[in-house]
Amino acid sequence: MTARILHADLVLPDPADQGIADGAVLVLDGRIELVGTYGEVHRRTAPQTPVHHFPGATILPGLIDCHVHLSMSGEGDAVATLDASDDRSLLLAMAGRAQELLNAGVTTVRDLGDRGGLAFALRDAIAAGRLPGPRILAAGAPVTVTGGHCWYLGGQADGVDEIRAVVRRNVQNGADVIKVMATGGGLTPDGPAPWVAQYTDEEVRAAVEEARRFGRPVAAHVHGSDGVRIALEAGVDTLEHCTFIPPPGSARGPDDAAAELIKKIAAEGASVCPTFSAVLGETIKRIGESGVRPWLDLVRHQHEQGVRLLAGTDAGIPGSGFGQYVDGLEWFARAGLDNGAILTAATSAAADALGIGHRTGRLRSGLEADLLVVDGDPRTELAALRRALLVLARGRALRPRGEFGGLR
């Protein structure tokens, strides 16, 4: 058995709860064995157990990115780059992007759309220990109408029967989650606009029913209010983006219908991943903060109404790099959320929403050892998350700049 004690000034078992000053975590064979004060953990551990001290640091659960696209580069015309890549070179690039996420303290990602099921292969290689990287939950090809949003990923389906068939195919190929493009989107300019619903109530409901038959959750890409309503009434688990973007010429900000939908989202327990990322910084340069502020205010309003928000960056789309996770969290702060709520959205709330709270998302005895050691206290300074000293993913240790002190 391999046991290690990690000791820091502060341990955050769950950012929603009180931290432990002068705390420690005992990691044993890839799982968390004990969490408590250093004195308590040390007293209950064999005397020869190695101890790694991190003065001035905080130990917290590994971060979770609920929305990434490992098959996309995050630079320039990501779609054209994807189209020009053969599967072999693309898989190698995806492995590098997974490493970037891990270096940033992200120990779990949900890949919500790739080509050819390559994310499944990468997921399995990482889980087997053949490659370093975060835990991957993968959707495979998102379900979309012919010529619809991200049609080039291979999930085109028209009508209830084709939708059910694509869902079954994804499950057979190894999908952990089903992704449905309920509205159009910006990455497919020749397809339906973001505010336009791509599928009817019956069609999205069919996708959810088929996914449920195989025990898979459903994530819905939604922008316009019609798409949000259709996805919510169909019973999807997470709403991605959820911007309530209006058609051109409409009043900015959520209308009365959106306000009612937000109340319904909170009441029904669906989760919203706004996909805040570094892209917003570039957006402000183009259109000014007044153009972005309605979206920030919308997310704050959802939080105030009790909607469970999730951290996710849409990493892979142009302008959202795989090492920029903290940028997205800082946009939550600019929207008006406090750091405790933001850290919860990035850890325990995310794990629960993704159905893996029994495995990760907290520092608790019996859970897998996904944790992050940072210089400083992220409850008072989110930028501390950029100063990673150690990352453990299922007990496998690394530093952003090399391995740490013999930990494996």
Side-chain angles (χ1 to χ4, degrees), residues 126-152:
I126 291 172
R130 294 193 293 271
L131 290 172
R135 173 189 296 99
I136 296 175
L137 304 176
V143 183
T144 191
V145 297
T146 296
H149 186 48
C150 293
W151 63 268
Y152 40 81

Side-chain angles (χ1 to χ4, degrees), residues 220-302:
H221 163 104
V222 287
H223 283 292
S225 293
D226 285 346
V228 174
R229 179 194 60 76
I230 290 169
L232 186 61
E233 292 182 356
V236 305
D237 298 276
T238 67
L239 300 162
E240 310 300 310
H241 316 300
C242 201
T243 58
F244 296 97
I245 187 170
S250 302
R252 299 292 300 177
D255 55 19
D256 291 341
E260 289 304 312
L261 282 169
I262 289 169
K263 292 178 182 177
K264 189 173 182 180
I265 292 169
E268 298 193 2
S271 299
V272 171
C273 182
T275 58
F276 279 167
S277 74
V279 171
L280 282 170
E282 295 303 313
T283 303
I284 277 186
K285 292 178 184 177
R286 293 198 319 270
I287 64 175
E289 183 155 356
S290 62
V292 171
R293 176 49 56 184
W295 191 19
L296 301 180
D297 291 343
L298 173 66
V299 169
R300 186 191 67 250
H301 177 66
Q302 291 180 62

Side-chain angles (χ1 to χ4, degrees), residues 91 114 116-127 130-131 136 138 173:
L91 184 57
D114 84 299
L118 295 178
F120 302 148
L122 181 59
R123 173 198 64 194
D124 295 345
I126 291 172
R130 294 193 293 271
L131 290 172
I136 296 175
N173 289 340

Side-chain angles (χ1 to χ4, degrees), residues 260-403:
E260 289 304 312
L261 282 169
I262 289 169
K263 292 178 182 177
K264 189 173 182 180
I265 292 169
E268 298 193 2
S271 299
V272 171
C273 182
T275 58
F276 279 167
S277 74
V279 171
L280 282 170
E282 295 303 313
T283 303
I284 277 186
K285 292 178 184 177
R286 293 198 319 270
I287 64 175
E289 183 155 356
S290 62
V292 171
R293 176 49 56 184
W295 191 19
L296 301 180
D297 291 343
L298 173 66
V299 169
R300 186 191 67 250
H301 177 66
Q302 291 180 62
H303 174 65
E304 292 169 348
Q305 291 295 309
V307 173
R308 178 166 59 182
L309 297 177
L310 312 178
T313 62
D314 218 353
I317 69 166
S320 184
F322 292 89
Q324 298 175 293
Y325 181 84
V326 180
D327 290 55
L329 300 188
E330 290 174 339
W331 280 103
F332 278 107
R334 292 183 70 165
L337 277 68
D338 64 64
N339 287 1
I342 296 167
L343 291 170
T344 298
T347 57
S348 54
D352 291 344
L354 271 52
I356 54 173
H358 62 293
R359 297 171 60 192
T360 190
R362 297 170 178 83
L363 304 181
R364 182 176 295 167
S365 177
L367 297 190
E368 295 177 17
D370 296 329
L371 60 83
L372 173 63
V373 184
V374 299
D375 178 22
D377 183 351
R379 298 177 306 176
T380 58
E381 181 198 10
L382 283 176
L385 297 174
R386 288 194 171 89
R387 302 192 294 271
L389 303 174
L390 177 69
V391 182
L392 260 64
R394 286 175 280 191
R396 300 169 191 151
L398 63 91
R399 291 181 71 188
R401 294 179 179 83
E403 296 201 60

Side-chain angles (χ1 to χ4, degrees), residues 75-162:
E75 302 174 350
D77 189 339
V79 176
T81 301
L82 171 65
D83 187 56
S85 301
D86 62 80
D87 283 357
R88 185 173 183 177
S89 61
L90 182 56
L91 184 57
L92 288 172
M94 291 168 66
R97 293 162 193 160
Q99 176 75 71
E100 284 187 69
L101 285 158
L102 191 60
N103 288 347
V106 177
T107 57
T108 298
V109 301
R110 186 174 55 157
D111 187 296
L112 288 181
D114 84 299
R115 189 189 74 193
L118 295 178
F120 302 148
L122 181 59
R123 173 198 64 194
D124 295 345
I126 291 172
R130 294 193 293 271
L131 290 172
R135 173 189 296 99
I136 296 175
L137 304 176
V143 183
T144 191
V145 297
T146 296
H149 186 48
C150 293
W151 63 268
Y152 40 81
L153 295 178
Q156 295 181 98
D158 302 310
V160 167
D161 291 342
E162 288 187 12

